[in-house]
Amino acid sequence: MPSWRESLIPVRMDRIAVVAPADRMRDVLVRVADAGAVEFDEAAPRPVPEAVLSVTPPSATGRPELLAGEAALRERSQASTTRDGVSALLGWVPADTVAVLSERLAPVEGAVVVLPRPRGVEVPSVLRTGGVRGSLTSLVETYGTVPYRDMDPTPLAAGAFLLMFGMMFGDVGHGALLLLIAVALAFWPRLERFRRVWPLAAGAGVAGIVFGVLYGEFFGPTGAIPALWLRPMERPVALMAVAVCLGGVLLAGALALGTVNRVREAGWAAALYAPSGVAGVVLLLGLALVAVGWYAGVVAVVVSGAVLAALAMLLIFLGFTGEGGVFDACVELFDTVLGLGSNLASFTRLAAFGLTHAALGWIVWEGTRALWPRGTVAAVGAVAVFVAGNLLAFALEGLVVAIQALRLEYYELFSRVFQSQGRPFRPWHLPVTTEEVSAWPPGSSPSR
């Protein structure tokens, strides 16, 4: 069980050498391939579909998948360094699997030697995939590989996604439907291949229910529940202002996480001047103070914010000057300030799509009300309009809102958390069979 500090970063990797007597290297590599926990330095053998390893070497007339596996094993073995009858292969392995792997290789005279980490070598990166957290890593992995030195943003990314999704999908009835889908994903055998995403679907359903209670929406403005906060159709300007403020908070969180990453990547000196580091945080804070001071009519707050914003722009300008000329620095500074403003404006879509969802619910409910008191046939039509309209709104808005939440997360938030992509951890793995396979079955041949 990793400590809370380790849970905030990618899985810790160790530099290792897999060592064995040259005449036992095949047996060692079979166990390494079966474990699937080691990424070797040398280029991996060409992937062969359905390649399988056998514990004992197959004969020349063995099954094709075993021959393919043996060829891959031989290619890997030939990449080892051999001296005085001892062979070794360098690679990377998750630190918490070293002891288990060593124990697994000991019976065939293999060993795992932990080495000092070489400077200037990019360490492969992999996020933790156990439990509920593992189902949430897809939010980050779809964007790219987290660099090994950076923080793992999975919990924060999931929280931001669910918050934005709920604000755009606020309806108790629709949230409950999404929660039922999550239950089906978790327990229905036919949906087993999608089971990994059920916690994310469940969280989205709960978020929709919470904001539905705040909006007073239950399959539209049916009046079944009161609005604890506001009704989107009645106060769109207030909803828009809250969306921008929420965007500012999320951007501040992304910049704070980006600052930590810049420090871990290159130290405080680089983080101080980075638009996604200290300078970016100060710029956002300064602009926020200017806006608050202007709205409240407090000149001192406006001046304080302007001073902070000017200091931040100076730091960003000096940082870009160190990378290029003065003209380039001016262009980059202008792009940084303009980009921050456009990113804040992008969060107005939280209110826009929340209004769209509420408007669709209102249309369906008004159509239902118009038909309901006009006789039996009209009542049946009203039920059909209510059910079909809500299902259409649920499916359409669910898809659109999920895409918009991802778009905001990737372009507005992750672009400040990460400056580059990491290198994914790709362990060498081939399935191993213990069955005896030394020849083709009677009546068959490799040519058939």
Side-chain angles (χ1 to χ4, degrees):
M1 185 72 178
S3 66
W4 69 269
R5 291 180 181 274
E6 291 178 330
S7 67
L8 299 177
I9 59 176
V11 174
R12 190 166 66 88
M13 306 296 291
D14 276 345
R15 179 69 167 171
I16 63 151
V18 175
V19 182
D23 59 350
R24 300 303 304 271
M25 199 55 166
R26 183 194 182 280
D27 298 331
V28 169
L29 286 178
V30 167
R31 297 198 174 204
V32 171
D34 188 33
V38 180
E39 177 186 296
F40 290 110
D41 286 357
E42 295 77 11
R46 294 181 298 276
V48 180
E50 300 181 357
V52 176
L53 288 175
S54 61
V55 175
T56 58
S59 69
T61 57
R63 294 207 309 256
E65 66 271 20
L66 293 172
L67 295 178
E70 194 66 20
L73 187 68
R74 188 180 302 111
E75 187 174 350
R76 171 64 67 196
S77 181
Q78 289 173 349
S80 63
T81 300
T82 302
R83 181 176 299 176
D84 298 330
V86 177
S87 296
L89 280 166
L90 298 177
W92 297 93
V93 65
D96 56 2
T97 64
V98 170
V100 176
L101 185 63
S102 297
E103 184 178 347
R104 190 167 188 170
L105 300 185
V108 289
E109 301 181 47
V112 178
V113 181
V114 179
L115 304 173
R117 186 175 300 162
R119 294 183 179 180
V121 175
E122 186 178 12
V123 182
S125 177
V126 61
L127 302 182
R128 288 174 175 79
T129 57
V132 172
R133 178 170 179 159
S135 69
L136 304 177
T137 57
S138 56
L139 283 173
V140 179
E141 292 172 338
T142 305
Y143 180 81
T145 303
V146 177
Y148 182 73
R149 287 182 175 272
D150 285 7
M151 304 290 288
D152 178 2
T154 297
L156 296 177
F161 175 84
L162 295 178
L163 183 61
M164 293 186 291
F165 183 94
M167 190 170 184
M168 294 185 283
F169 197 73
D171 188 290
V172 173
H174 293 173
L177 288 178
L178 192 53
L179 202 55
L180 288 176
I181 291 176
V183 172
L185 291 173
F187 297 105
W188 196 9
R190 290 189 178 183
L191 298 176
E192 186 175 2
R193 59 177 175 170
F194 305 111
R195 184 163 296 169
R196 185 186 178 202
V197 301
W198 80 263
L200 189 61
V206 171
I209 291 173
V210 170
F211 275 91
V213 172
L214 295 176
Y215 295 159
E217 296 277 326
F218 182 81
F219 292 114
T222 56
I225 58 174
L228 293 186
W229 177 35
L230 58 78
R231 295 190 181 275
M233 297 285 290
E234 296 176 1
R235 298 180 61 191
V237 176
L239 187 63
M240 198 78 68
V242 171
V244 173
C245 292
L246 177 60
V249 172
L250 292 177
L251 276 174
L255 286 169
L257 188 55
T259 299
V260 175
N261 286 343
R262 301 299 86 79
V263 173
R264 290 173 62 88
E265 292 165 357
W268 277 104
L272 180 64
Y273 300 99
S276 60
V278 175
V281 173
V282 174
L283 177 60
L284 181 62
L285 176 60
L287 295 177
L289 288 176
V290 169
V292 171
W294 172 80
Y295 180 79
V298 182
V299 177
V301 176
V302 174
V303 173
S304 300
V307 170
L308 284 178
L311 175 61
M313 287 188 283
L314 177 61
L315 289 173
I316 294 171
F317 177 79
L318 292 175
F320 283 122
T321 302
E323 298 177 3
V326 174
F327 178 76
D328 289 342
C330 291
V331 173
E332 294 290 351
L333 176 60
F334 177 78
D335 181 68
T336 298
V337 177
L338 184 64
L340 187 59
S342 65
N343 289 154
L344 278 171
S346 288
F347 283 96
T348 57
R349 70 187 64 215
L350 295 176
F353 283 97
L355 284 168
T356 301
H357 193 190
L360 287 175
W362 178 83
I363 292 171
V364 172
W365 179 239
E366 287 300 311
T368 303
R369 290 178 60 191
L371 291 172
W372 180 253
R374 300 181 182 275
T376 304
V377 176
V380 173
V383 173
V385 167
F386 184 79
V387 174
N390 272 287
L391 287 178
L392 179 62
F394 171 80
L396 181 63
E397 281 295 296
L399 178 62
V400 171
V401 164
I403 292 173
Q404 291 301 321
L406 283 176
R407 189 257 177 223
L408 286 169
E409 186 138 271
Y410 289 167
Y411 287 95
E412 271 64 46
L413 303 181
F414 281 5
S415 61
R416 285 169 169 76
V417 174
F418 305 118
Q419 279 193 331
S420 61
Q421 296 288 320
R423 181 168 73 82
F425 175 62
R426 293 192 174 95
W428 185 58
H429 173 66
L430 286 174
V432 176
T433 180
T434 57
E435 61 181 297
E436 291 292 335
V437 280
S438 58
W440 285 79
S444 62
S445 68
S447 62
R448 294 187 180 182

